[in-house]
Amino acid sequence: MTTARPRPPQGLLPDAVQLNRRGNLRQLLQQLQGDGIESFPLIDRLLGLEGGSTEVIQRGAYITDAMAREIEWSMNLPEGWLDRGPREPEI
């Protein structure tokens, strides 16, 4: 059985979604660091990710839809928050 890759939001190319996710995750990590949370193992737990995921993502790993939704849920953010571009309003 093959699993179809989820389609990006209408009007966005997959690369644009990844760029948005990376930029928004970077912003989220900066906020955590501002709160004194800098350890990757602790960040992974806060974001609901498996150990080492945050560090691997920062080195260029693909942020899957499941990872993005888990991060949003764990941080009490609206679904799709990581996918939004810098000028897209929150719904």
Side-chain angles (χ1 to χ4, degrees):
M1 178 170 95
T2 60
T3 304
R5 187 170 186 176
R7 296 181 64 172
Q10 208 168 13
L12 290 179
L13 300 172
D15 290 346
V17 172
Q18 283 299 302
L19 289 173
N20 289 345
R21 286 178 181 173
R22 290 186 181 290
N24 291 329
L25 181 59
R26 190 171 25 260
Q27 176 186 356
L28 190 56
L29 293 175
Q30 288 172 348
Q31 290 173 358
L32 291 173
Q33 289 172 345
D35 291 336
I37 302 167
E38 298 183 8
S39 150
F40 281 123
L42 181 54
I43 291 170
D44 285 339
R45 283 194 302 265
L46 287 172
L47 299 181
L49 300 175
E50 293 182 16
S53 295
T54 305
E55 193 171 9
V56 172
I57 288 169
Q58 285 193 318
R59 285 189 267 153
Y62 187 82
I63 303 171
T64 66
D65 290 342
M67 292 169 82
R69 301 301 78 88
E70 183 63 29
I71 291 167
E72 292 160 352
W73 184 88
S74 295
M75 297 303 295
N76 198 30
L77 296 166
E79 187 173 327
W81 184 87
L82 278 177
D83 299 346
R84 293 187 188 132
R87 295 189 182 109
E88 293 181 54
E90 290 189 25
I91 298 174

